[in-house]
Amino acid sequence: MNETMKTILNHRSIRKFKDQPLAEQEIEQLVHAAQMASTSSYIQAYSIIGVENKQTKAELATLAGNQPYVEQNGHFFVFCADLYRHTVAAEMEDLEITPAIESTEKFMVAVIDASLAAQNAAVAAESLGLGICYIGGLRNEIEKVSELLQLPEYVIPLFGMAVGVPDAETDQKPRLPLENVYYKETYPNEKQKVQQGLENYNETISAYYHDRTDGKRSDRWTEQMSNMLKTPRRMHMKDFVQGKGFMKS
Amino acid sequence: MNETMKTILNHRSIRKFKDQPLAEQEIEQLVHAAQMASTSSYIQAYSIIGVENKQTKAELATLAGNQPYVEQNGHFFVFCADLYRHTVAAEMEDLEITPAIESTEKFMVAVIDASLAAQNAAVAAESLGLGICYIGGLRNEIEKVSELLQLPEYVIPLFGMAVGVPDAETDQKPRLPLENVYYKETYPNEKQKVQQGLENYNETISAYYHDRTDGKRSDRWTEQMSNMLKTPRRMHMKDFVQGKGFMKS
């Protein structure tokens, strides 16, 4: 197996880092890697904020729900969907682009662009021996995160990424069986098939938790997901996103 | 530089493939790589449809705006945001999750999850000597693509990915200067700074087109973007996405 496949298949989220800041050159390598991801029609609809300031990191950690690794890491990135740059471009060209950038389509383009870039940075970081953890918790208090980073209209923080030298071993959680994620030709038209797959997966997951907790836990995946989803969270999102100018039509 | 960094930095979209289908094992490697990407709270909110059927591929190529490489490639993947699986999980657990999965937050989670998975597959493919091209054009006729692939509620096709053995050299287009994508601590609060960056980038891009067209083209990036965005496209997206159950609140 080649080194890249090994890196990708060996991924695990790291939540404890050594107190060792990334070198400027490493940060640039990661951003460069991010930028080389595909981008929809060359639009490059994202920005990356790099946070080193200790106070800002501490505030972000609190806003993300007291996650210590948001504060303690080698570097903290915030990936943002960004169409603000394009409003400046349009002003330079004296053209009107508001209806386009306020569309749901272009919101999706920006979210996808930013995510592809982020995953390149993640793989690049891991190839350099660093660990990473995505921080969706920034969306808990997305308005405050946005203010803290001084994001203008048409820019929203999607997620953070803590990067650094790993200081703890982490397990790799088993993913859904391939046949329950990858479908040939069409989506399975029988709910029974999907359910059967989830029942099989539940057994795998229960055994996984059982093994690593000496029998104290045996969660099913369907149980974890349903318990998480029974309480809607971050219901401020639509207002926030639209307030920033996105997804109006 | 390590092999993974080389692979990532060497990316270019491939739009001409040899008539050589991917082996089943290669397809599985790519899906496996996709699955190892980070996923928000283990939600794994995506599915991947693999299309080999020639007629389906031909129809997708037409729907995507007559892009021949959607039909002619080694394999064609469609990456979908998927929360349908979670409705089955919730039924198994007898819990109600509709308000959560119909939220804008969970729509974003699914789009991000699917995109991270896709980019892992892209990097994995390139590490194996294959080429890839993302196909956002599937969203031109997203309703018809969705019907063709028999996607149920809470599943939408986000983009395709053509994969195969490259049959043409492609240039690598210069990305935005790093300092116009990566900001330290906060977003620049002066529009002038963003504009200056775009003016510098315009010079790079104009020179790039000039060089490779013997002086016939000298597009500015701001010109390309503004011309693309002055006509809103895919304005059916919001209705479609909401019709599938997403982003209702």
Side-chain angles (χ1 to χ4, degrees), chain A residues 42 52 82 93 174 187 220 222, chain B residues 42 82 93 174 187 220 222:
Chain A
Y42 211 17
E52 290 183 10
D82 186 346
E93 301 290 338
Y187 205 93
R220 300 177 299 281
T222 56
Chain B
Y42 211 16
D82 186 346
E93 301 290 339
Y187 204 93
R220 299 177 300 280
T222 56

Side-chain angles (χ1 to χ4, degrees), chain B residues 33-82:
Chain B
Q35 289 198 265
M36 289 318 300
S38 291
T39 164
S40 175
S41 302
Y42 211 16
I43 194 169
Q44 305 173 78
Y46 61 89
S47 285
I48 308 170
I49 313 283
V51 182
E52 291 184 10
N53 182 287
K54 282 185 194 306
Q55 196 185 328
T56 311
K57 275 180 155 187
E59 284 182 51
L60 288 175
T62 305
L63 293 173
N66 296 311
Q67 299 188 36
Y69 38 99
V70 173
E71 191 174 352
Q72 289 144 22
N73 50 55
H75 198 69
F76 194 74
F77 293 104
V78 181
F79 285 84
C80 306
D82 186 346

Side-chain angles (χ1 to χ4, degrees), chain A:
Chain A
M1 194 185 294
N2 70 51
E3 287 303 315
T4 304
M5 283 300 296
K6 276 187 206 163
T7 298
I8 288 175
L9 298 184
N10 193 44
H11 164 73
R12 48 210 73 203
S13 293
I14 298 297
R15 294 189 174 81
K16 193 162 189 290
F17 300 98
K18 291 193 177 153
D19 185 16
Q20 192 177 318
L22 263 63
E24 201 64 27
Q25 198 211 350
E26 285 175 309
I27 296 168
E28 284 185 12
Q29 277 184 293
L30 301 187
V31 176
H32 190 188
Q35 289 198 266
M36 288 320 299
S38 291
T39 164
S40 175
S41 302
Y42 211 17
I43 194 170
Q44 304 173 79
Y46 61 88
S47 285
I48 308 169
I49 313 283
V51 182
E52 290 183 10
N53 182 288
K54 282 185 196 304
Q55 195 185 327
T56 310
K57 275 179 155 187
E59 285 183 49
L60 289 175
T62 306
L63 293 172
N66 296 311
Q67 300 188 36
Y69 39 98
V70 173
E71 192 174 352
Q72 289 144 22
N73 49 55
H75 198 69
F76 194 75
F77 293 104
V78 181
F79 286 83
C80 306
D82 186 346
L83 289 166
Y84 170 75
R85 188 183 292 122
H86 304 80
T87 67
V88 177
E91 220 176 273
M92 287 163 67
E93 301 290 338
D94 202 18
L95 284 168
E96 173 59 43
I97 61 164
T98 309
I101 63 173
E102 296 193 341
S103 67
T104 295
E105 158 66 13
K106 283 298 173 290
F107 174 65
M108 289 167 66
V109 160
V111 174
I112 294 167
D113 252 33
S115 304
L116 302 186
Q119 188 56 17
N120 256 14
V123 174
E126 291 178 342
S127 83
L128 299 171
L130 300 167
I132 67 112
C133 188
Y134 279 91
I135 311 291
L138 291 191
R139 296 195 303 277
N140 288 347
E141 296 282 357
I142 195 166
E143 180 105 45
K144 287 180 186 163
V145 170
S146 179
E147 281 167 19
L148 193 61
L149 304 177
Q150 300 178 24
L151 305 183
E153 54 180 356
Y154 303 118
V155 181
I156 58 172
L158 294 174
F159 45 78
M161 187 188 290
V163 184
V165 179
D167 195 25
E169 296 277 316
T170 324
D171 276 352
Q172 202 175 38
K173 280 199 281 190
R175 301 308 204 243
L176 281 160
L178 187 136
E179 59 270 26
N180 297 113
V181 164
Y182 180 68
Y183 301 124
K184 291 183 182 178
E185 303 302 333
T186 53
Y187 205 93
N189 59 8
E190 290 167 46
K191 187 189 283 184
Q192 187 52 38
K193 278 192 190 165
V194 175
Q195 184 169 332
Q196 185 58 53
L198 296 183
E199 281 164 7
N200 297 341
Y201 187 42
N202 275 345
E203 286 181 26
T204 308
I205 297 300
S206 291
Y208 166 81
Y209 282 114
H210 189 91
D211 286 356
R212 66 199 282 265
T213 62
D214 284 330
K216 281 180 206 140
R217 278 179 70 177
S218 59
D219 317 27
R220 300 177 299 281
W221 184 78
T222 56
E223 179 189 12
Q224 282 192 353
M225 289 305 112
S226 304
N227 279 326
M228 173 175 82
L229 294 168
K230 75 183 178 195
T231 312
R233 293 176 64 208
R234 303 177 188 154
M235 296 302 277
H236 52 266
M237 202 53 65
K238 191 175 200 174
D239 282 349
F240 173 78
V241 170
Q242 290 185 329
K244 280 292 200 173
F246 288 101
M247 217 178 73
K248 288 190 178 173
S249 64

